Amino acid sequence: MKKIIIGNWKLNPTTLARALQIQSRIHHFVKKSRRAFVILAPPFPFLHPLVIKAKGLHIAAQNSFWEATGAYTGEVSPAILRSINVRYVIIGHSERREYMRETDAQINKKVKTALKSGLTVILCIGEKSRDEENFQKIVKNQLFSDIKGVAKTYAHKIIIAYEPVWAIGTGKTVHPADLYEMAMYIRRALFDVFGKKAAHSIPVLYGGSVHSKNAGDFLAVDGVDGLLVGGASLDPKEFGKIIEIAAKS
Ligand code: PGA
């Protein structure tokens, strides 16, 4: 399986011109490193212009709503995303859980609507702190709540991004041995929900303070199928190096 490298641009950059420039520079690395599967997640207004110029890159939204249409001011639905040829959506990112107070129940509704609309869901889960005694169980409960009621026929449309909240944007990262343990733990939980056969194909990614100097360590961990990169994905050279490392691993 090709390693999946996702660039989550969050609320960046501030102009379309800059977004297109970053994409075009990243594209240069994608052309050279066909053995990596690269997805960029820009802010909503940049989605369509980036889709048009995607060429070998894939484009994801950073969020979508749980209804297809209706009186929901300010929301964007999976159906709208599909109509502009967006095929991926990040759901449940810890920043949305924290700042927008998204709950697991809401995330579960979003996951189901996005899957039904034909999008592939990149579901983010992760503990706030490793000091919590049952942090593994916390992650498992989060996962179970977020995918509750999802039929196993949708398993091939799910990507899990394990992002410990304490590692996001902090420079702190999980130790590869601990990452291995967590990746296996998540995989076993997925087996419980979807059965071994269906869950087998679900990629499990790592995210949290990834850059070109540590990407190789995470990608070498058994059971880790790729990376969700925040800050470093806005620097085309840095992100390009990560893509090159992924293409070789
Ligand atoms: P970071 O963000 O790489 O800047 O830590 C990762 C994420 O939030 O997806």
Side-chain angles (χ1 to χ4, degrees):
M1 197 203 289
K2 281 186 186 178
K3 297 285 184 192
I4 302 168
I5 304 296
I6 304 175
N8 175 15
W9 288 1
K10 310 189 181 187
L11 190 51
N12 300 288
T14 48
T15 65
L16 173 60
R18 180 68 188 138
L20 288 168
Q21 192 183 44
I22 299 173
Q23 183 192 32
S24 129
R25 297 217 178 123
I26 291 173
H27 190 248
H28 164 78
F29 292 95
V30 171
K31 268 198 301 196
K32 288 197 300 179
S33 308
R34 295 246 177 244
R35 283 184 42 73
F37 191 90
V38 182
I39 306 175
L40 295 181
F44 280 131
F46 303 157
L47 284 170
H48 192 236
L50 263 67
V51 163
I52 289 171
K53 299 203 170 202
K55 293 184 284 183
L57 272 166
H58 303 269
I59 305 296
Q62 297 174 14
N63 176 38
S64 64
F65 194 52
W66 59 73
E67 296 290 345
T69 179
Y72 304 102
T73 303
E75 294 297 335
V76 173
S77 71
I80 292 173
L81 296 172
R82 280 299 307 259
S83 82
I84 55 163
N85 289 322
V86 170
R87 303 249 173 263
Y88 299 85
V89 61
I90 297 174
I91 294 182
H93 191 280
S94 66
E95 284 151 14
R96 294 203 60 83
R97 292 178 191 261
E98 190 183 340
Y99 303 129
M100 314 316 162
R101 299 272 180 269
E102 280 191 11
T103 64
D104 284 315
Q106 290 171 334
I107 290 164
N108 178 241
K109 287 202 280 182
K110 290 185 174 198
V111 166
K112 286 183 184 160
T113 309
L115 289 171
K116 277 194 194 126
S117 309
L119 292 175
T120 292
V121 168
I122 301 152
L123 173 66
C124 299
I125 52 171
E127 77 281 1
K128 285 196 180 135
S129 153
R130 285 233 158 189
D131 295 336
E132 287 158 287
E133 213 181 292
N134 281 331
F135 74 87
Q136 280 192 327
K137 209 135 180 243
I138 290 170
V139 174
K140 181 154 96 174
N141 288 340
Q142 204 178 31
L143 175 66
F144 283 173
S145 314
D146 296 348
I147 58 175
K148 195 172 154 198
V150 172
K152 69 173 165 195
T153 45
Y154 286 114
H156 69 289
K157 291 283 211 180
I158 297 173
I159 296 172
I160 302 294
Y162 167 60
E163 297 208 297
V165 181
W166 52 269
I168 296 177
T170 58
K172 290 183 203 152
T173 55
V174 70
H175 190 280
D178 294 338
L179 178 57
Y180 171 75
E181 213 175 280
M182 186 53 102
M184 291 302 148
Y185 185 80
I186 290 172
R187 200 161 287 287
R188 278 197 300 274
L190 289 167
F191 285 170
D192 288 348
V193 178
F194 294 121
K196 234 179 175 164
K197 206 169 154 215
H200 193 72
S201 65
I202 300 179
V204 177
L205 317 185
Y206 168 71
S209 295
V210 173
H211 51 72
S212 65
K213 298 221 165 57
N214 61 20
D217 298 339
F218 303 128
L219 289 169
V221 173
D222 228 11
V224 172
D225 304 302
L227 302 168
L228 180 45
V229 185
S233 69
L234 288 152
D235 176 342
K237 254 198 187 158
E238 182 65 7
F239 194 58
K241 276 190 208 161
I242 297 172
I243 293 169
E244 283 176 345
I245 293 164
K248 284 182 198 138
S249 35

